[in-house]
Amino acid sequence: MDVTGSIALVTGANRGIGRRFVDELLARGAAKVYATARRPELIEVSDPRVEALRLDLLDARSVADAAAAAPDVTLLVNNAGITTGTNLLTGDLDVIRLELDTHLFGTLGVIRAFAPVLASNGGGAVVNILSALSWFASDGAGAYSVAKAAEWNMTNSLRLELAGQRTLVQGVHLGAADTDMMAGYDIPKIDPLDVARASLDGVKSGAIEVLVDDTSRYVKASLAADPAQFYAQSLVS
């Protein structure tokens, strides 16, 4: 799929990776970009090709309204998400459910709403921004890693279900990007623009999975080995 001339919708477009997707789509010649957020008034619109829409992953009505307002979409970028820093044994169950409701059921709801739109416009593509934490757990991010693991396999399942309508479904994995969400973490971070560029390069080439950085590539490669090696340092008491 060629991004040039595409009509895209990006969730969580008011900041971070979502905002950089909007910038990169415009730079690559997208005909129109629907930039969405829970509070669309926070979205900076400086290009006539950008239209701000309200879309809250946890509000089914807002998702349906966005799909009705954007019937010409050919590229859906599911970027919106949260991180609560919640572990599974000590964390509030409602907070853990919030992570799953957002990343799994919220993203799924958006895809279900836009799948018929994509089909009517020739198939197009769906991009899901995932994480290296789809494949491993880290203390302090138990709920997030569970939710991202679920979203990863949801991505795999929908790839099969949407193949018949010629919709590319791409999963994008990274360690950490330099965004507001990750501001409190003292770890190596990549430029969020690099995420958008790598993903859109993959959309053009038909890649179903994009590993953006060394962290995601290392974690993916470790899955073939004994997990005791990967978790050896973490399990030292």
Side-chain angles (χ1 to χ4, degrees), residues 11-12 24 33 37 47 55 83 86 91-92 141 147 157 195 202 226:
T11 68
E24 188 63 15
V33 180
D47 189 295
L55 193 157
T83 180
T86 304
D92 187 312
S157 296
V195 181
D226 183 345

Side-chain angles (χ1 to χ4, degrees), residues 44-224:
E44 294 183 14
V45 178
S46 57
D47 189 295
R49 292 174 290 168
V50 177
E51 180 177 342
L53 291 177
R54 180 176 183 271
L55 193 157
D56 181 344
L57 298 188
L58 302 182
D59 181 350
R61 171 63 66 181
S62 82
V63 174
D65 288 347
D72 47 357
V73 166
T74 60
L75 172 60
L76 172 63
V77 179
N78 289 302
N79 162 74
I82 60 169
T83 180
T84 64
T86 304
N87 273 336
L88 301 180
L89 285 179
T90 57
D92 187 312
L93 282 175
D94 287 339
V95 176
I96 296 169
R97 289 189 185 97
L98 177 63
E99 294 253 20
L100 280 162
D101 283 343
T102 301
H103 294 286
L104 175 59
F105 295 110
T107 302
L108 176 59
V110 174
I111 297 171
R112 285 167 65 110
F114 277 92
V117 174
L118 294 170
S120 67
N121 294 317
V126 174
V127 170
N128 290 341
I129 304 303
L130 304 172
S131 170
L133 278 162
S134 304
W135 298 319
F136 79 104
S138 177
D139 190 27
Y144 183 83
S145 61
V146 166
K148 280 300 184 182
E151 188 182 0
W152 168 53
N153 223 10
M154 178 264 285
T155 299
N156 293 333
S157 296
L158 289 178
R159 182 177 300 120
L160 302 179
E161 293 187 42
L162 292 174
Q165 68 175 48
R166 300 177 61 82
T167 297
L168 170 73
V169 179
Q170 179 193 93
V172 180
H173 297 266
L174 64 145
D178 190 9
T179 64
D180 292 348
M181 184 182 289
M182 298 302 296
Y185 295 88
D186 185 19
I187 56 177
K189 302 169 190 174
I190 61 174
D191 188 329
L193 185 57
D194 290 340
V195 181
R197 286 173 173 166
S199 170
L200 294 176
D201 285 346
V203 169
K204 184 175 181 179
S205 67
I208 64 174
E209 183 173 87
V210 173
L211 308 181
V212 179
D213 56 9
D214 289 341
T215 299
S216 57
R217 287 186 282 270
Y218 168 74
V219 175
K220 178 69 181 293
S222 75
L223 295 177

